[in-house]
Amino acid sequence: MRLHAVDPANPDPDIIADAAARLRIGELVAFPTETVYGLGANALDVEAVARIFAAKGRPSYNPVIVHVPDVDAARCVVTHWPDAADKLAAAFWPGPLTLVLPKAPQIPDLVSAGLPLIGVRVPAHPVALALLRAARVPVAAPSANKSNQLSPTSAPHVLRGLADVDGVVLDGGDCAVGIESTVIDLSTDVPTLLRPGGVSVEALERVLGMIIQLAAAPATAEAPRRSPGALDRHYAPRARVQMCAAGDGIALATSIDALRSAGARVGVVAWSDFDLPFNGDVSVRQLSGDAVEYAAQLFATLHELDARGVSAIVVESVPDLPIWDAVRDRLRRAAS
Ligand code: TXA
Ligand code: MG
């Protein structure tokens, strides 16, 4: 992929126009969003969408989120726009929320992995919005990484994961949210959470004035699933991830010792302020104890530890509070 720097405060119209033209003729364009970088293709062009699946090695049963610049464009890719969608869009768009609604027929089935539903979102990043406005087509975009690997929160992460892919990357800097969008299915009587993410369930419930249900787990690994991205191993770094108890410095030190004696190069991701008796050979990364700040740092930290050649990462479990749900979900998948 070829990289073009774009200033988020003032996206160069020529670079945006060029990238938009590439999307319209079926090429791939990776772009920044406030959550993670997306690998975009014209959602109306089935061959372009097929290129996303090929580039990522993505299984065809995993649907792709469609990105649009505003609510009017979102209404064009669905056949039904309930009141709940109006409320949530008004409260959270542009932003890290994906609404799952009945798919309009002009969107190819490949985008929705054959499901009658489509995920749609208006991202909050100025470069993404400029690109989507200029493209004048809905843009299908999963995270810009190989299937099952860590999502990219910077353009260099995209290049590292997708070096061999044909296309351009718009470099708009680091992603502020750092964790993927919350996915909520509004086609069910009671809205269903399909993936925790950048908007908390509590915030959604407050705006909807009702309780959201959690998606039931599929019967088997191969069974069609409500949210196919909810695969178990996902969001994983190359290094093996092992969780350890929150706030327990002794347990952490024991895990590190065991891994070192087994010959592992060990990284640590903690949010508690441990005084660990290690130097040099253990890469300790202290993240914030604030869930929002922690989310913004997590993927970049895992990418960095991977790039250092760490072979095992011990991660301190995060607090068992709703505000940590999205982070806990990603850590559980990384460790499984
Ligand atoms: O923040 C994000 O959502 C990022 C940025 C690029 O927008 N995108 C992203 O896409 O995380 P991806 O492909 O890595 O995850 C999309 C997930 C799917 O795996 C699935 O769980 C859910 O969103 N999803 C998408 N379309 C769906 C649909 N029609 N029905 C059910 N779930 C859907
Ligand atoms: Mg992804």
Short mmCIF file of all heavy atoms in Angstrom, two decimals, residues 48-76:
data_model
loop_
_atom_site.label_atom_id
_atom_site.label_comp_id
_atom_site.label_asym_id
_atom_site.label_seq_id
_atom_site.Cartn_x
_atom_site.Cartn_y
_atom_site.Cartn_z
N ALA A 48 -15.06 -4.84 -5.97
CA ALA A 48 -14.24 -4.03 -5.06
C ALA A 48 -14.35 -4.60 -3.64
O ALA A 48 -13.33 -4.72 -2.93
CB ALA A 48 -14.70 -2.57 -5.08
N VAL A 49 -15.56 -4.97 -3.24
CA VAL A 49 -15.75 -5.53 -1.90
C VAL A 49 -15.01 -6.88 -1.79
O VAL A 49 -14.40 -7.18 -0.76
CB VAL A 49 -17.25 -5.68 -1.57
CG1 VAL A 49 -17.44 -6.37 -0.22
CG2 VAL A 49 -17.94 -4.31 -1.57
N ALA A 50 -15.03 -7.64 -2.88
CA ALA A 50 -14.31 -8.92 -2.87
C ALA A 50 -12.82 -8.70 -2.64
O ALA A 50 -12.14 -9.52 -2.01
CB ALA A 50 -14.53 -9.66 -4.19
N ARG A 51 -12.30 -7.55 -3.13
CA ARG A 51 -10.87 -7.24 -2.91
C ARG A 51 -10.58 -7.06 -1.42
O ARG A 51 -9.49 -7.38 -0.96
CB ARG A 51 -10.49 -5.96 -3.67
CG ARG A 51 -10.08 -6.27 -5.07
CD ARG A 51 -9.64 -5.06 -5.88
NE ARG A 51 -9.95 -5.44 -7.24
CZ ARG A 51 -10.82 -4.86 -8.05
NH1 ARG A 51 -11.43 -3.76 -7.69
NH2 ARG A 51 -11.07 -5.36 -9.22
N ILE A 52 -11.52 -6.50 -0.69
CA ILE A 52 -11.33 -6.37 0.78
C ILE A 52 -11.16 -7.76 1.40
O ILE A 52 -10.25 -7.99 2.19
CB ILE A 52 -12.55 -5.69 1.46
CG1 ILE A 52 -12.71 -4.25 1.02
CG2 ILE A 52 -12.41 -5.78 2.98
CD1 ILE A 52 -13.94 -3.57 1.66
N PHE A 53 -12.07 -8.66 1.04
CA PHE A 53 -12.03 -10.01 1.64
C PHE A 53 -10.70 -10.69 1.30
O PHE A 53 -10.09 -11.34 2.15
CB PHE A 53 -13.22 -10.84 1.16
CG PHE A 53 -14.51 -10.51 1.88
CD1 PHE A 53 -15.32 -9.46 1.45
CD2 PHE A 53 -14.91 -11.24 2.99
CE1 PHE A 53 -16.50 -9.15 2.12
CE2 PHE A 53 -16.09 -10.94 3.67
CZ PHE A 53 -16.89 -9.89 3.23
N ALA A 54 -10.26 -10.52 0.02
CA ALA A 54 -9.00 -11.15 -0.40
C ALA A 54 -7.83 -10.53 0.35
O ALA A 54 -6.94 -11.25 0.85
CB ALA A 54 -8.83 -10.99 -1.91
N ALA A 55 -7.81 -9.21 0.46
CA ALA A 55 -6.68 -8.51 1.10
C ALA A 55 -6.55 -8.92 2.56
O ALA A 55 -5.45 -9.07 3.09
CB ALA A 55 -6.86 -7.00 0.98
N LYS A 56 -7.69 -9.08 3.24
CA LYS A 56 -7.67 -9.38 4.67
C LYS A 56 -7.57 -10.88 4.96
O LYS A 56 -7.30 -11.27 6.09
CB LYS A 56 -8.96 -8.86 5.33
CG LYS A 56 -8.99 -7.36 5.52
CD LYS A 56 -10.27 -6.95 6.24
CE LYS A 56 -10.48 -7.57 7.60
NZ LYS A 56 -9.97 -6.80 8.74
N GLY A 57 -7.86 -11.71 3.94
CA GLY A 57 -8.01 -13.13 4.22
C GLY A 57 -9.23 -13.32 5.10
O GLY A 57 -9.25 -14.15 6.01
N ARG A 58 -10.27 -12.53 4.83
CA ARG A 58 -11.45 -12.52 5.68
C ARG A 58 -12.42 -13.58 5.22
O ARG A 58 -12.72 -13.69 4.03
CB ARG A 58 -12.12 -11.15 5.59
CG ARG A 58 -13.30 -10.92 6.54
CD ARG A 58 -13.81 -9.50 6.31
NE ARG A 58 -14.92 -9.08 7.11
CZ ARG A 58 -14.81 -8.38 8.25
NH1 ARG A 58 -13.63 -8.09 8.73
NH2 ARG A 58 -15.87 -7.98 8.89
N PRO A 59 -12.95 -14.40 6.15
CA PRO A 59 -13.94 -15.40 5.75
C PRO A 59 -15.21 -14.72 5.25
O PRO A 59 -15.59 -13.66 5.75
CB PRO A 59 -14.20 -16.19 7.04
CG PRO A 59 -13.66 -15.37 8.15
CD PRO A 59 -12.65 -14.43 7.60
N SER A 60 -15.84 -15.32 4.25
CA SER A 60 -16.97 -14.67 3.59
C SER A 60 -18.21 -14.59 4.48
O SER A 60 -19.17 -13.92 4.15
CB SER A 60 -17.31 -15.39 2.29
OG SER A 60 -17.63 -16.73 2.61
N TYR A 61 -18.18 -15.27 5.64
CA TYR A 61 -19.35 -15.18 6.53
C TYR A 61 -19.27 -13.98 7.46
O TYR A 61 -20.14 -13.78 8.29
CB TYR A 61 -19.53 -16.48 7.33
CG TYR A 61 -18.33 -16.91 8.13
CD1 TYR A 61 -17.98 -16.25 9.30
CD2 TYR A 61 -17.54 -17.98 7.70
CE1 TYR A 61 -16.86 -16.64 10.03
CE2 TYR A 61 -16.41 -18.36 8.42
CZ TYR A 61 -16.08 -17.69 9.58
OH TYR A 61 -14.97 -18.06 10.29
N ASN A 62 -18.23 -13.18 7.34
CA ASN A 62 -18.08 -12.03 8.25
C ASN A 62 -18.46 -10.74 7.51
O ASN A 62 -17.74 -10.29 6.63
CB ASN A 62 -16.63 -11.97 8.75
CG ASN A 62 -16.48 -11.07 9.95
OD1 ASN A 62 -17.42 -10.36 10.33
ND2 ASN A 62 -15.31 -11.07 10.56
N PRO A 63 -19.60 -10.12 7.88
CA PRO A 63 -20.07 -8.94 7.14
C PRO A 63 -19.22 -7.70 7.41
O PRO A 63 -18.51 -7.64 8.41
CB PRO A 63 -21.49 -8.74 7.67
CG PRO A 63 -21.46 -9.33 9.04
CD PRO A 63 -20.50 -10.48 8.98
N VAL A 64 -19.31 -6.74 6.50
CA VAL A 64 -18.50 -5.53 6.56
C VAL A 64 -19.40 -4.32 6.85
O VAL A 64 -20.51 -4.23 6.31
CB VAL A 64 -17.77 -5.34 5.21
CG1 VAL A 64 -16.91 -4.09 5.24
CG2 VAL A 64 -16.91 -6.55 4.88
N ILE A 65 -18.93 -3.43 7.67
CA ILE A 65 -19.69 -2.22 8.00
C ILE A 65 -19.61 -1.23 6.84
O ILE A 65 -18.55 -1.04 6.24
CB ILE A 65 -19.14 -1.58 9.30
CG1 ILE A 65 -19.37 -2.52 10.48
CG2 ILE A 65 -19.76 -0.21 9.55
CD1 ILE A 65 -18.64 -2.11 11.76
N VAL A 66 -20.75 -0.59 6.53
CA VAL A 66 -20.80 0.42 5.48
C VAL A 66 -20.68 1.81 6.13
O VAL A 66 -21.37 2.10 7.11
CB VAL A 66 -22.10 0.29 4.67
CG1 VAL A 66 -22.30 1.49 3.76
CG2 VAL A 66 -22.05 -1.00 3.85
N HIS A 67 -19.79 2.63 5.58
CA HIS A 67 -19.54 3.97 6.12
C HIS A 67 -20.13 5.02 5.20
O HIS A 67 -19.97 4.95 3.98
CB HIS A 67 -18.04 4.19 6.28
CG HIS A 67 -17.40 3.26 7.26
ND1 HIS A 67 -17.28 1.90 7.02
CD2 HIS A 67 -16.89 3.46 8.50
CE1 HIS A 67 -16.70 1.33 8.08
NE2 HIS A 67 -16.46 2.25 8.99
N VAL A 68 -20.82 5.97 5.79
CA VAL A 68 -21.48 7.04 5.04
C VAL A 68 -21.22 8.37 5.76
O VAL A 68 -20.90 8.37 6.95
CB VAL A 68 -23.00 6.76 4.92
CG1 VAL A 68 -23.28 5.57 4.03
CG2 VAL A 68 -23.63 6.56 6.30
N PRO A 69 -21.40 9.50 5.04
CA PRO A 69 -21.07 10.78 5.65
C PRO A 69 -22.16 11.38 6.54
O PRO A 69 -21.88 12.30 7.31
CB PRO A 69 -20.79 11.70 4.45
CG PRO A 69 -21.55 11.09 3.33
CD PRO A 69 -21.60 9.61 3.58
N ASP A 70 -23.41 10.91 6.40
CA ASP A 70 -24.50 11.51 7.18
C ASP A 70 -25.72 10.59 7.22
O ASP A 70 -25.74 9.53 6.58
CB ASP A 70 -24.89 12.88 6.58
CG ASP A 70 -25.14 12.80 5.09
OD1 ASP A 70 -25.79 11.82 4.64
OD2 ASP A 70 -24.66 13.68 4.34
N VAL A 71 -26.73 11.02 7.98
CA VAL A 71 -27.93 10.20 8.17
C VAL A 71 -28.67 9.98 6.85
O VAL A 71 -29.15 8.87 6.59
CB VAL A 71 -28.88 10.86 9.21
CG1 VAL A 71 -30.23 10.16 9.24
CG2 VAL A 71 -28.25 10.83 10.59
N ASP A 72 -28.73 11.00 6.00
CA ASP A 72 -29.43 10.82 4.72
C ASP A 72 -28.82 9.69 3.91
O ASP A 72 -29.53 8.86 3.33
CB ASP A 72 -29.39 12.11 3.89
CG ASP A 72 -30.33 13.17 4.47
OD1 ASP A 72 -31.22 12.79 5.26
OD2 ASP A 72 -30.15 14.35 4.15
N ALA A 73 -27.49 9.65 3.89
CA ALA A 73 -26.80 8.59 3.14
C ALA A 73 -27.02 7.23 3.83
O ALA A 73 -27.11 6.20 3.16
CB ALA A 73 -25.31 8.91 3.03
N ALA A 74 -27.11 7.24 5.15
CA ALA A 74 -27.36 5.98 5.87
C ALA A 74 -28.74 5.43 5.50
O ALA A 74 -28.91 4.22 5.30
CB ALA A 74 -27.27 6.21 7.38
N ARG A 75 -29.72 6.33 5.41
CA ARG A 75 -31.08 5.88 5.07
C ARG A 75 -31.14 5.24 3.70
O ARG A 75 -32.03 4.43 3.42
CB ARG A 75 -32.05 7.05 5.16
CG ARG A 75 -32.17 7.60 6.57
CD ARG A 75 -33.13 8.76 6.63
NE ARG A 75 -34.49 8.28 6.67
CZ ARG A 75 -35.41 8.68 7.55
NH1 ARG A 75 -35.11 9.59 8.45
NH2 ARG A 75 -36.61 8.18 7.52
N CYS A 76 -30.19 5.60 2.81
CA CYS A 76 -30.18 5.05 1.45
C CYS A 76 -29.69 3.60 1.39
O CYS A 76 -29.89 2.94 0.38
CB CYS A 76 -29.29 5.88 0.53
SG CYS A 76 -29.95 7.52 0.22
#
